[in-house]
Amino acid sequence: MKKTDLRVQRTNKLIVDAFIHLVEKKGYEQVTVQDIADEAMINRATFYAHYKDKQDLYERIFDLALDSFSGIFSSEDIVQGNRIRLKNVETTMTAIFQHIHDNRQFYLTIMDGSAIEVIRQKLGILLPMRYAEIFSSLRITESDIDVPLDFVIEYITSIFVGTLHWWLTAETTMPPNQLAKLVIKLVANGHLTVLGIEIED
């Protein structure tokens, strides 16, 4: 049984690696299942034993990226009540950016225009689930009108995803820890305090 599992895992890795390489080389639309099979040195039947089609493969790869975000965001040391611990946020964000840096081609492959929107939406669901305590305690007003919480979450996730997309596509040598510090410097002392969130250095 273990030998079979290892064989399946190995084949799956060959398929994923082949797909990412081909998308980088030809673009998603131009890649066919036959291309993937040829690149991975398997037959089409083997591909279809693992995935329904090319879109299914893409979505499974996309889910892997979201799972990695979910795992890193699971830290319980970031938020306490209505207070955010910046040092721990920096550690977490550095881990996220380091993970993306180590898998840069993987993320470049999945982050086309439509994928960016899906990532933003998924993070919009993930953040309030992970940090329900802090989001549920927020009450932001502007000219005596309550600002909707979904607007706040949309705003925060848009900043993160926009920054991530720039970092992946721009010709920059900025390391993960420096990017994390920059994002925190730009966001924390301005945006978060306006939202009524207490900052702990």
Side-chain angles (χ1 to χ4, degrees):
M1 188 68 175
K2 288 183 178 178
K3 288 183 179 179
T4 303
D5 290 343
L6 287 173
R7 191 178 300 118
V8 169
Q9 290 174 20
R10 180 178 178 277
T11 302
N12 188 59
K13 185 178 186 306
L14 288 172
I15 292 171
V16 170
D17 289 349
F19 177 70
I20 291 174
H21 174 72
L22 287 167
V23 170
E24 177 188 6
K25 182 178 173 183
K26 302 171 61 172
Y28 175 80
E29 295 299 332
Q30 301 303 315
V31 175
T32 66
V33 169
Q34 187 62 59
D35 290 335
I36 299 168
D38 290 344
E39 182 73 19
M41 294 185 289
I42 59 172
N43 57 47
R44 286 167 60 92
T46 301
F47 175 91
Y48 287 118
H50 288 75
Y51 303 98
K52 291 185 296 184
D53 51 27
K54 181 179 73 171
Q55 182 63 28
D56 182 39
L57 170 58
Y58 173 88
E59 290 174 1
R60 297 270 285 278
I61 291 175
F62 192 84
D63 287 342
L64 285 174
L66 293 176
D67 286 346
S68 67
F69 283 151
S70 180
I72 295 170
F73 273 123
S74 65
S75 172
E76 297 177 355
D77 296 326
I78 291 176
V79 174
Q80 183 176 34
N82 199 39
R83 180 183 296 269
I84 287 184
R85 297 170 172 169
L86 283 190
K87 287 291 184 184
N88 295 346
V89 172
E90 183 180 326
T91 299
T92 298
M93 288 196 71
T94 298
I96 291 171
F97 291 136
Q98 186 64 56
H99 168 79
I100 293 168
H101 181 269
D102 293 343
N103 300 276
R104 184 173 183 273
Q105 193 53 56
F106 173 85
Y107 282 96
L108 275 172
T109 299
I110 66 166
M111 287 192 73
D112 59 17
S114 60
I116 291 173
E117 174 63 17
V118 175
I119 286 178
R120 188 187 57 73
Q121 291 174 357
K122 294 283 188 180
L123 286 175
I125 295 171
L126 175 64
L127 287 174
M129 286 177 60
R130 286 286 182 217
Y131 306 122
E133 184 178 6
I134 194 166
F135 281 112
S136 64
S137 67
L138 290 179
R139 185 176 184 275
I140 308 103
T141 59
E142 173 62 31
S143 301
D144 296 324
I145 299 174
D146 284 348
V147 178
L149 183 57
D150 57 354
F151 168 80
V152 176
I153 294 170
E154 177 93 4
Y155 185 70
I156 292 172
T157 54
S158 294
I159 291 173
F160 175 77
V161 172
T163 300
L164 176 58
H165 183 259
W166 168 82
W167 190 53
L168 280 171
T169 57
E171 293 183 5
T172 178
T173 58
M174 186 181 296
N177 63 325
Q178 187 178 340
L179 180 62
K181 288 180 180 178
L182 177 61
V183 171
I184 290 170
K185 185 174 183 180
L186 292 173
V187 174
N189 294 323
H191 299 78
L192 296 184
T193 50
V194 168
L195 296 178
I197 299 173
E198 296 180 27
I199 304 298
E200 178 182 309
D201 293 328

